[in-house]
Amino acid sequence: MLSIEPGQGRTGQEQALYQLAALFTTIGIAVVGGAVTGVVLRIPFFGKVPNEFLFDDSNLWEVPENEEKDQTNVDGSTHRNGTGGNTATAGIEMSQGKRD
């Protein structure tokens, strides 16, 4: 059985350099892998998605219908789905006591 001693006889500075080298190796592999993926996806065989379908998941996934029903939040307040409001700011307004 292999016995590994703590530190492998390295100083703290040497260990830091090994870890830095491992970090740059990992980042390099990720960059090369991303570049290869980008080149492969540009091959005309895969085709291009038309602009009107770029952000529409309903073509490939089952998505819930935009239902307009009340939902109760954890704090007891309610809001309606599908009202067209900004959900990010609606959550902030609700937490400050403002309700739709």
Side-chain angles (χ1 to χ4, degrees):
M1 186 157 123
L2 180 64
S3 174
I4 299 176
E5 297 293 322
Q8 293 290 308
R10 299 179 189 146
T11 66
Q13 185 177 9
E14 289 174 328
Q15 184 62 35
L17 290 174
Y18 273 97
Q19 290 181 350
L20 190 62
L23 175 67
F24 285 122
T25 301
T26 302
I27 291 172
I29 291 170
V31 168
V32 170
V36 169
T37 301
V39 168
V40 168
L41 288 177
R42 289 186 180 265
I43 297 173
F45 170 76
F46 292 107
K48 185 177 178 183
V49 177
N51 286 340
E52 63 267 9
F53 297 123
L54 282 178
F55 300 101
D56 185 13
D57 290 338
S58 63
N59 294 324
L60 302 172
W61 298 90
E62 290 184 24
V63 292
E65 294 297 322
N66 192 7
E67 298 176 12
E68 291 197 19
K69 66 178 186 178
D70 288 338
Q71 287 188 345
T72 304
N73 295 328
V74 175
D75 64 356
S77 62
T78 60
H79 70 279
R80 294 182 71 77
N81 283 338
T83 58
N86 184 344
T87 57
T89 57
I92 294 169
E93 291 170 356
M94 290 180 134
S95 67
Q96 296 172 346
K98 297 177 184 175
R99 293 203 171 99
D100 292 338

